[in-house]
Amino acid sequence: MRGEPWVEFQNVEAWLSDKSIFQNLSLTLYKNESTAIIGPNGAGKSTLIKLIERSIYPVIKKDSRMLFYGKERVNLWKLRSLIGFVSNEIEDRIPNNSSSKDVIYSGFFGSNTLRKETILTNKQKDSANKIINDFNLVEFELVNYGCLSEGLKRRVLLARALVNNPQIIILDEPVCKLDLKSKYDLLSLLEKLSVSGTTLVQVTHNIDTVIKDTKRVVLIKRGVVIADGIPHECLNSDILSNLYETPLIVHRENGFWQVYPGTQIKYYK
């Protein structure tokens, strides 16, 4: 069942540096509705994440607003306790000489690593250690982050995002740089999280990363939502061929979506 809205964009205009990304974006995302946001490079997916994490702000104009849990004003610390983020940008900011445990602990404070003077409560330690155990990271917790495989790094980042027990997890290209085993191990972990009640938002350009429990798909092209609905409605050959402006054939097997090059030449708008 669809839950309450957790973020609402109404006629939002947003720029990244000197480039216009969105002119009139209207989109509402709901709790209990794991969603995949899909689009080619440059479609506006990363800008959407930056708007949600408040690293950029929309243009103030009439009849435009952005709400979090029904409110225009939001405390950033409260927001970080409700929404966790996993992205390549976060990964790139983490010092390689930080232990995996310190990286995970840093999620409590929204920092890139744990400062020596930082003191954690027993409750925080217990919460983090449970996740470390559940994610099979115990043997790696003292290993420096820079020495981990790409698959382990992504697991550590996901554990870091979960320490505050957030309602929402946003993942930007979650399987980027992963080999096949690490990719499917991570997708299996995400599937379990979604089924257990954590609302996931996967932001990607690859439809084969869409987990089986995904309830909704939003397709974005040049800053415009061109399709929005259940996966079976949106992930078909015609719509994806238009999205990527190239002939594509879409196939679904064992719960996963796959895409192959097509042969028919079309005109794309």
Side-chain angles (χ1 to χ4, degrees):
M1 184 177 66
R2 173 174 276 181
E4 66 175 313
W6 64 269
V7 66
E8 300 171 69
F9 300 91
Q10 297 180 10
N11 299 318
V12 165
E13 179 180 344
W15 292 64
L16 198 57
S17 298
D18 60 349
K19 183 179 180 182
S20 172
I21 307 298
F22 297 117
Q23 284 299 315
N24 292 287
L25 174 68
S26 291
L27 177 68
T28 300
L29 299 178
Y30 300 87
K31 289 172 58 179
N32 305 324
E33 187 177 67
S34 287
T35 299
I37 298 176
I38 302 174
N41 293 335
K45 305 186 303 298
S46 296
T47 302
L48 190 66
I49 294 176
K50 291 180 185 297
L51 285 167
I52 294 173
E53 69 183 5
R54 311 303 275 168
S55 60
I56 65 171
Y57 289 82
V59 174
I60 298 174
K61 63 180 185 180
K62 186 179 179 180
D63 299 326
S64 173
R65 60 180 183 164
M66 183 175 172
L67 307 178
F68 289 96
Y69 294 90
K71 299 179 180 179
E72 289 192 70
R73 296 183 180 272
V74 60
N75 181 287
L76 284 180
W77 287 107
K78 177 67 173 177
L79 191 66
R80 286 171 180 168
S81 70
L82 295 171
I83 306 173
F85 294 88
V86 177
S87 70
N88 291 305
E89 283 192 12
I90 294 174
E91 179 177 334
D92 292 341
R93 293 198 299 263
I94 293 175
N96 285 329
N97 61 355
S98 293
S99 72
S100 298
K101 177 181 279 190
D102 282 355
V103 173
I104 294 170
Y105 282 169
S106 72
F108 287 115
F109 311 100
S111 57
N112 299 326
T113 188
L114 198 67
R115 297 180 180 179
K116 291 182 179 180
E117 65 272 19
T118 302
I119 299 176
L120 285 86
T121 66
N122 290 332
K123 183 179 179 180
Q124 287 174 324
K125 290 180 181 179
D126 290 344
S127 175
N129 290 337
K130 182 181 186 306
I131 294 172
I132 290 171
N133 185 68
D134 290 346
F135 281 23
N136 297 318
L137 290 170
V138 174
E139 63 179 296
F140 305 103
E141 62 183 10
L142 299 181
V143 176
N144 284 350
Y145 185 77
C147 296
L148 299 176
S149 68
E150 293 299 332
L152 285 171
K153 285 181 179 178
R154 208 57 51 87
R155 257 196 281 166
V156 167
L157 284 183
L158 184 57
R160 175 186 178 274
L162 285 165
V163 290
N164 283 312
N165 192 29
Q167 299 173 349
I168 317 293
I169 294 288
I170 298 177
L171 305 115
D172 186 10
E173 300 292 355
V175 302
C176 177
K177 298 186 288 189
L178 300 189
D179 61 28
L180 287 178
K181 181 181 185 306
S182 297
K183 170 182 174 178
Y184 290 114
D185 283 348
L186 184 66
L187 292 178
S188 176
L189 191 55
L190 295 179
E191 186 76 33
K192 291 177 182 177
L193 284 172
S194 182
V195 170
S196 67
T198 302
T199 302
L200 304 184
V201 178
Q202 293 176 267
V203 179
T204 183
H205 59 264
N206 292 316
I207 71 168
D208 62 348
T209 68
V210 176
I211 62 172
K212 299 176 184 178
D213 196 51
T214 298
K215 302 293 192 301
R216 179 182 177 194
V217 170
V218 178
L219 304 183
I220 298 180
K221 179 179 181 180
R222 300 191 188 101
V224 176
V225 175
I226 68 165
D228 182 354
I230 62 175
H232 280 88
E233 290 177 344
C234 298
L235 300 180
N236 62 55
S237 300
D238 286 340
I239 292 177
L240 286 182
S241 293
N242 176 47
L243 179 68
Y244 289 100
E245 300 187 356
T246 190
L248 298 171
I249 297 172
V250 178
H251 179 67
R252 188 169 188 255
E253 188 171 344
N254 296 326
F256 288 98
W257 300 88
Q258 302 291 331
V259 62
Y260 307 96
T263 56
Q264 184 178 358
I265 298 175
K266 298 183 178 181
Y267 175 76
Y268 302 99
K269 295 183 180 179

